[in-house]
Amino acid sequence: QVQVVESGGGLVQAGGSLRLSCAASGSTSSFNLMGWYRQAPGKRRELVASIGSSDNTNYGDSVKGRFTISRDNAKNTVYLQMNSLTPDDTAVYYCRADKVRLGLPYTYWGQGTQVTVSS
């Protein structure tokens, strides 16, 4: 059974940095796409960043130039380095892992980790 577990959230002051980690386990094959989404109270879940198995990346407009996503394919782990944080970055951050098995797509989500940025 696939499990996706995030870590690294917490409280930080504006202008500070945090690094999130997400490990996907329980799969004998790699995940073709891994990424981070976030959801603030009263708002929709939105893409923060994603990375493919060839290290091709995609970022949400609000985090471009501040956040960096990377992955370790051997460990099925994805990281999110967040710099120059602002209170608008406060949200629950969810890790997502996608794979294709026998021609069918599967999506797995973590339980989320809270990031709070104080002003």
Side-chain angles (χ1 to χ4, degrees):
Q1 184 173 354
V2 174
Q3 287 189 316
V4 178
V5 179
E6 304 102 333
S7 61
L11 174 64
V12 64
Q13 288 189 331
S17 299
L18 278 176
R19 187 182 191 227
L20 305 183
S21 299
C22 168
S25 61
S27 173
T28 57
S29 59
S30 62
F31 296 88
N32 59 301
L33 186 70
M34 299 186 75
W36 292 93
Y37 288 70
R38 68 185 181 186
Q39 187 166 20
K43 294 187 176 181
R44 288 183 172 182
R45 188 173 295 191
E46 63 175 359
L47 171 71
V48 177
S50 64
I51 184 167
S53 56
S54 299
D55 288 343
N56 46 308
T57 59
N58 184 36
Y59 292 92
D61 289 341
S62 62
V63 307
K64 286 180 181 176
R66 299 187 299 123
F67 292 9
T68 302
I69 190 169
S70 60
R71 66 185 288 172
D72 183 335
N73 290 331
K75 297 180 179 179
N76 278 336
T77 299
V78 63
Y79 306 97
L80 185 69
Q81 178 66 42
M82 305 185 294
N83 298 328
S84 302
L85 286 162
T86 75
D88 288 341
D89 295 315
T90 295
V92 178
Y93 283 69
Y94 296 92
C95 180
R96 168 177 167 168
D98 292 359
K99 65 183 299 183
V100 176
R101 182 174 180 272
L102 300 177
L104 296 176
Y106 292 85
T107 296
Y108 304 92
W109 291 93
Q111 79 288 352
T113 185
Q114 177 70 46
V115 171
T116 302
V117 184
S118 63
S119 58

